[in-house]
Amino acid sequence: MIEIKLPSLGADMDEGTLLEWHVKPGDEVHKGDILAVVDTTKAALDIECWHSGRVHDLLVEPGQTVKVGTLMARLLEPGEDAAAIPPPAPAAAAAPGAATATTGPVPPAETAAAPPVIPAALATRHPVSPAARRRAAELGIDVENISGTGPAGVVTLKDVELAAAHPAPAHDRGTDMRRLIATAMSRSKREIPHYYLSDDIPLRAATEWLRRTNLERPITERVLLAALYVRAVAVAAARHPDMNGFYVADAYRPSTAVHVGLAISLRGGGLVAPAIHDADRKPVSELMQALTDLVARTRAGKLKRDELADPTITLTNLGDHSVTSVHGVIYAPQVALVGFGEVSDRAWVNEGRVEATPVVTATLAADHRVSDGHAGARFLAAINALLQHPDQL
Amino acid sequence: MQEQEVQRGVLALLQRIAPELEPAQLDGRVALREQVDLDSMDFLRFLISIHEQYAIDIPEADYEKLVSLDDIVAYLRARLPTS
């Protein structure tokens, strides 16, 4: 028997809401098939199948919010007999939040913080008139989410009718995302002893290279400076393993692969930092295509699960906003974040002469449990050196 | 192509990048990137969508001419067939 559990789609994800199943019991499925779509606070994500088999049963209903690791479905391996499969454990009842999930708009914060089992009667916070309770049941509305206007805050029939006419949004992604960022950033500042370094990097060679390169290219193949940043950071990270990896359970695990997470702001607030995979092995043009695609999909809410789950280092670029430098907050369990400010013409001494030169301030926020300022300085210097030779990047 | 028609087309493309945009609030004479929160990637995607919609090439050297909505509409009208 193959168990399909809700995977973690990122270090900061602990639950997800099933939007729909793409399969039903009896369906043959193959490795790579999409089994279901799950909503997280960041995006709707596909749950892929990693095995081939036949769907035995589905244990989570669309609309249900469940914890990471909850058994969602069971598959029969090829040749396996359905009769040999035990009946499912009462997974729905055991999963925290499952009891409230199908009843309507429950704030996820309550779901997440709630102890595993709350008897429904104890959870009642305000009185409800019998007529209101009946009507709410008919309409499929959870009376717990209606504020009462009757005597002593009693929920009346009228309150229920009003709530039915103006349903609250089921899921406020903006609020959820703010809370998620708050959790991740607080954890980072609590647990990671950050140290910060900065380096002014002249970009004459890089901007000239971009101008020449883009002159010959159609608009669909033009390159932005951001792609050079990704490339330089990725190549430098591959050479400096103490900047590229994860700090988990009091131990550092460097990563051999370099997946550069890009902090991408969302319209209307919030941000996501999905990864460009193996960025150290992709040439600049390919990185530019990946970057364009990633930004478009991030803003459309269509990221793949591994893009969210596995960046090994993060890059943030605030160059569009007249910012000199950015001292970032590291995304735990990563151990470093590189930031770029705005490129501006500054008086720069080159071979004894002062010249107006485009310069950017690059910064590093790194985890002092893993590396020291000396190592961080060498890493930033490597980025600087790489950006001086864009034709070799 | 008529000015209004081009303007409507360009605004529709811009709204694909910035869905929250209220066309009525936009001043055609003021720099787009001051009025609409567009970073360099957004702006490039916007210009690529114009290139794809109207089949005109936009050299990078021309980017500096494309500051306001009126600039972009005028630039397009000068390059589109006048049927």
Side-chain angles (χ1 to χ4, degrees), chain A residues 210-211 214-215 217-224 265 267-268 288 291-292 295-296 299 320-321, chain B residues 17-20 33 36-42 44-45 47-48 51-52 57-60 63:
Chain A
L210 281 174
R211 195 187 58 76
N214 288 339
L215 202 61
R217 294 191 181 192
I219 189 165
T220 48
E221 289 170 28
R222 281 178 208 152
V223 178
L224 291 173
S265 62
R267 305 202 78 84
M288 182 62 200
L291 189 63
T292 311
V295 170
R299 299 218 165 120
D320 281 302
H321 301 285
Chain B
I17 309 284
E20 77 286 359
R33 290 181 62 175
V36 187
D37 183 12
L38 298 175
D39 61 21
S40 34
M41 175 62 83
D42 293 327
L44 179 60
R45 286 169 62 211
L47 293 186
I48 288 175
H51 158 79
E52 284 169 351
D57 192 34
I58 308 174
E60 199 180 52
Y63 287 7

Side-chain angles (χ1 to χ4, degrees), chain A residues 359-373:
Chain A
V359 175
V360 71
T361 301
T363 53
L364 169 71
D367 187 335
H368 222 325
R369 296 172 300 184
V370 177
S371 66
D372 304 315

Side-chain angles (χ1 to χ4, degrees), chain A residues 133-187:
Chain A
R133 192 178 289 282
R134 252 195 324 272
R135 184 76 183 121
E138 283 165 21
L139 292 166
I141 296 175
D142 186 354
V143 287
E144 286 305 312
N145 296 315
I146 302 174
S147 44
T149 59
V154 169
V155 177
T156 65
L157 187 59
K158 196 174 138 212
D159 295 332
V160 173
E161 303 278 2
L162 264 176
H166 305 281
H171 198 60
D172 182 352
R173 182 163 280 158
T175 311
D176 287 358
M177 174 164 289
R178 211 58 258 165
R179 205 183 57 247
L180 208 109
I181 293 171
T183 307
M185 296 299 104
S186 304
R187 175 185 163 202

Side-chain angles (χ1 to χ4, degrees), chain A:
Chain A
M1 185 179 65
I2 301 158
E3 296 191 325
I4 305 295
K5 295 179 175 173
L6 179 64
S8 175
L9 308 168
D12 41 12
M13 166 180 166
D14 54 16
E15 62 185 17
T17 304
L18 177 67
L19 293 180
E20 57 175 333
W21 284 110
H22 281 203
V23 294
K24 57 184 188 306
D27 283 359
E28 292 287 338
V29 293
H30 301 96
K31 188 168 181 288
D33 287 353
I34 304 300
L35 296 179
V37 185
V38 168
D39 200 23
T40 73
T41 44
K42 287 174 175 174
L45 298 160
D46 294 335
I47 304 293
E48 247 177 82
C49 187
W50 297 98
H51 310 273
S52 294
R54 190 151 52 83
V55 178
H56 180 62
D57 49 10
L58 305 177
L59 304 172
V60 175
E61 298 280 330
Q64 211 172 325
T65 300
V66 296
K67 294 275 178 199
V68 166
T70 302
L71 184 62
M72 298 178 71
R74 298 188 297 175
L75 310 185
L76 296 172
E77 290 174 59
E80 197 176 6
D81 184 5
I85 303 290
T100 53
T102 48
T103 52
V106 174
E110 288 186 23
T111 313
V117 181
I118 306 177
L122 288 183
T124 302
R125 281 184 220 98
H126 47 241
V128 182
S129 82
R133 192 178 289 282
R134 252 195 324 272
R135 184 76 183 121
E138 283 165 21
L139 292 166
I141 296 175
D142 186 354
V143 287
E144 286 305 312
N145 296 315
I146 302 174
S147 44
T149 59
V154 169
V155 177
T156 65
L157 187 59
K158 196 174 138 212
D159 295 332
V160 173
E161 303 278 2
L162 264 176
H166 305 281
H171 198 60
D172 182 352
R173 182 163 280 158
T175 311
D176 287 358
M177 174 164 289
R178 211 58 258 165
R179 205 183 57 247
L180 208 109
I181 293 171
T183 307
M185 296 299 104
S186 304
R187 175 185 163 202
S188 171
K189 282 284 185 172
R190 206 165 45 237
E191 294 178 4
I192 302 179
H194 290 63
Y195 69 89
Y196 305 97
L197 307 173
S198 69
D199 189 15
D200 289 340
I201 302 180
L203 291 177
R204 169 75 67 215
T207 49
E208 276 299 310
W209 181 85
L210 281 174
R211 195 187 58 76
R212 278 198 314 274
T213 303
N214 288 339
L215 202 61
E216 298 160 5
R217 294 191 181 192
I219 189 165
T220 48
E221 289 170 28
R222 281 178 208 152
V223 178
L224 291 173
L225 183 57
L228 287 184
Y229 290 161
V230 176
R231 177 76 189 151
V233 167
V235 172
R239 294 180 196 158
H240 292 263
D242 43 3
M243 301 292 151
N244 186 64
F246 306 106
Y247 191 93
V248 180
D250 291 330
Y252 178 57
R253 282 188 293 113
S255 167
T256 46
V258 180
H259 306 316
V260 176
L262 292 162
I264 298 173
S265 62
L266 302 179
R267 305 202 78 84
L271 87 164
V272 180
I276 293 186
H277 288 136
D278 299 312
D280 59 323
R281 290 195 244 141
K282 291 180 174 147
V284 170
S285 295
E286 199 178 321
L287 286 174
M288 182 62 200
Q289 298 295 338
L291 189 63
T292 311
D293 175 56
L294 200 60
V295 170
R297 283 188 298 110
T298 300
R299 299 218 165 120
K302 290 179 186 159
L303 290 169
K304 296 175 192 153
R305 77 182 215 207
D306 52 347
E307 288 172 330
L308 283 174
D310 65 1
T312 56
I313 184 169
T314 298
L315 189 164
T316 182
N317 178 11
L318 289 179
D320 281 302
H321 301 285
S322 172
V323 149
T324 307
S325 61
V326 45
H327 300 273
V329 182
I330 300 167
Y331 279 74
Q334 296 164 44
V335 298
L337 181 145
V338 179
F340 291 93
E342 185 188 34
V343 180
S344 58
D345 279 340
R346 300 187 208 170
W348 192 260
V349 180
N350 183 29
E351 293 176 357
R353 287 199 359 245
V354 178
E355 284 176 358
T357 304
V359 175
V360 71
T361 301
T363 53
L364 169 71
D367 187 335
H368 222 325
R369 296 172 300 184
V370 177
S371 66
D372 304 315
H374 177 74
R378 284 167 38 93
F379 176 57
L380 266 188
I383 293 171
N384 187 333
L386 287 161
L387 286 170
Q388 301 315 310
H389 302 284
D391 48 333
Q392 293 163 29
L393 262 177

